[in-house]
Amino acid sequence: MSAEQITGSINSPTPLRVGVLGFGGLGQAAARVLAPKREMIWVAAADQKGYAYAAQGLDPDASIAIYQTQGTLGYLEPTGTLSSQSIQDLMERAKPVDGYFLALPNLPNTFMASIARQFIQSGWQGVLVDALKRTSAVEQLLELQEELLAAGITYLTGCGATPGLLTAAAALAAQSYAEIHSVKITFGVGIANWEAYRATIREDIAHLPGYDVERARAMSDAEVEALLDQTNGILALENMEHADDVMLELAGICPRDRVTVGGVVDTRNPKKPLSTNVQVTGRTFEGKISTHTFTLGDETSMAANVCGPAFGYLKAGVALHRRGIYGLFTAAEVMPQFVK
């Protein structure tokens, strides 16, 4: 048996055809991340008002420019189409596409599960990857496990920075221990202009005391700006409902109540207010108590730490899909593959 058969590697001269759903700050960053890749080609994208598809590949610069000036990829010539049901229309037109990165805001909290159902009902077969944050959102996808399996879809959830990169690091670090006492994830995010990440910031606001997903979703930009004025642009988040907990529990690492997530988001400064890290504390087989710490470089942006892992997981998902392995997986169960 060859190494390629053992690892499920998908290295081939034909690049994977990738779509990006959602074209806000994260979707635009995803397009930039994909641009220099040889193993993937960005062929499809959708926003609220339209979509674009080009089998030979979309131009990131032109796409971002038209979105920022016209508000939708639907005006992109000659590949854009205006649509009030852009995701559904793109699924029907964009064939074939190997996998999609769902760079969508999960507002309301049922939104991502509803997108998964659209793919199931469409008859499309391939790989879906998201960067979901909330435990309850991932639990909704877990309820679709059998439907995804029957539909021939390989879905990897929680594949951003956290959950995602740091969850996987925690799962790896846990191997040193006989018992895990705690997993503590702390993140720092710096954003020069919050309006470039409106949906992401609203999802963070939903974790603040006195707020929830619906209240954050209903806030106008002016109301968000007023809140940020009160906090000097800083969002301090503690004991968040973050899917790292259910993902590590499902992977058999530790009960979810031993996982805590919190951090600081500076919406007015691109410099991280603190370093992002995960600390895994446990007991070794010799009875020693120790802590492993994995820290991300301060120079890596939120976009880099979300989009990079997402496409690494998408590549791994395609390897699984080509071996006939379907259903739902998390970032703590599958190792991402580096995309060249």
Side-chain angles (χ1 to χ4, degrees):
M1 182 177 289
S2 69
E4 182 171 332
Q5 290 173 312
I6 294 171
T7 63
S9 173
I10 59 164
N11 297 323
S12 72
T14 304
L16 298 176
R17 295 151 299 194
V18 175
V20 175
L21 301 187
F23 209 63
L26 193 59
Q28 292 173 40
R32 296 283 193 207
V33 169
L34 284 172
K37 302 293 187 184
R38 302 189 305 276
E39 294 182 324
M40 291 184 176
I41 180 172
W42 177 46
V43 299
D47 56 56
Q48 283 186 322
K49 301 176 182 178
Y51 64 90
Y53 172 69
Q56 74 278 13
L58 293 167
D59 183 319
D61 292 331
S63 300
I64 291 170
I66 202 71
Y67 182 86
Q68 292 181 349
T69 57
Q70 303 281 357
T72 176
L73 291 166
Y75 289 111
L76 182 66
E77 294 291 344
T79 58
T81 302
L82 294 172
S83 172
S84 59
Q85 49 178 20
S86 57
I87 294 176
Q88 183 66 42
D89 289 345
L90 179 63
M91 277 193 282
E92 294 175 359
R93 178 183 172 188
K95 298 177 181 179
V97 174
D98 296 299
Y100 285 94
F101 172 35
L102 310 184
L104 297 161
N106 192 45
L107 299 171
N109 198 42
T110 56
F111 185 62
M112 206 68 76
S114 72
I115 296 299
R117 288 190 181 93
Q118 276 188 260
F119 276 98
I120 291 169
Q121 293 165 5
S122 74
W124 177 83
Q125 293 187 328
V127 179
L128 299 176
V129 172
D130 70 41
L132 274 179
K133 298 179 182 179
R134 283 187 173 270
T135 301
S136 53
V138 170
E139 287 175 332
Q140 290 173 38
L141 289 173
L142 287 169
E143 295 176 3
L144 298 177
Q145 169 71 280
E146 294 303 319
E147 293 177 57
L148 290 164
L149 184 64
I153 294 173
T154 305
Y155 193 126
L156 283 78
T157 187
C159 297
T162 177
L165 178 58
L166 294 182
T167 328
L172 184 61
Q175 307 309 312
S176 296
Y177 304 111
E179 180 187 16
I180 302 302
H181 292 169
S182 68
V183 176
K184 181 180 180 181
I185 294 174
T186 305
F187 62 83
V189 175
I191 301 173
N193 175 16
W194 82 268
E195 292 180 330
Y197 291 91
R198 286 184 175 92
T200 299
I201 295 303
R202 282 183 171 80
E203 287 192 67
D204 287 336
I205 289 172
H207 289 281
L208 293 173
Y211 290 83
D212 57 23
V213 173
E214 289 307 314
R215 182 178 177 186
R217 181 192 181 201
M219 293 175 71
S220 66
D221 285 357
E223 289 172 326
V224 173
E225 191 67 52
L227 173 62
L228 296 177
D229 283 341
Q230 294 174 17
T231 64
N232 197 30
I234 299 294
L235 297 176
L237 306 164
E238 298 180 357
N239 296 320
M240 300 172 71
E241 182 206 332
H242 237 245
D244 303 86
D245 59 2
V246 65
M247 290 163 61
L248 289 170
E249 184 174 78
L250 285 170
I253 304 300
C254 64
R256 67 179 70 187
D257 60 6
R258 297 185 187 182
V259 182
T260 57
V261 181
V264 178
V265 180
D266 188 341
T267 64
R268 297 177 178 174
N269 189 335
K271 183 178 179 180
K272 290 182 181 180
L274 49 86
S275 296
T276 296
N277 67 85
V278 56
Q279 296 180 319
V280 181
T281 299
R283 174 182 55 80
T284 70
F285 77 95
E286 303 103 334
K288 305 288 186 178
I289 306 300
S290 182
T291 299
H292 285 331
T293 302
F294 177 73
T295 304
L296 303 185
D298 288 343
E299 295 75 18
T300 56
S301 65
M302 176 189 71
N305 291 329
V306 172
C307 295
F311 290 121
Y313 279 109
L314 196 153
K315 180 178 176 180
V318 171
L320 293 174
H321 192 267
R322 290 181 176 176
R323 293 162 62 190
I325 301 173
Y326 312 136
L328 185 75
F329 302 89
T330 77
E333 297 175 274
V334 177
M335 180 68 73
Q337 295 185 12
F338 186 70
V339 183
K340 299 176 183 177

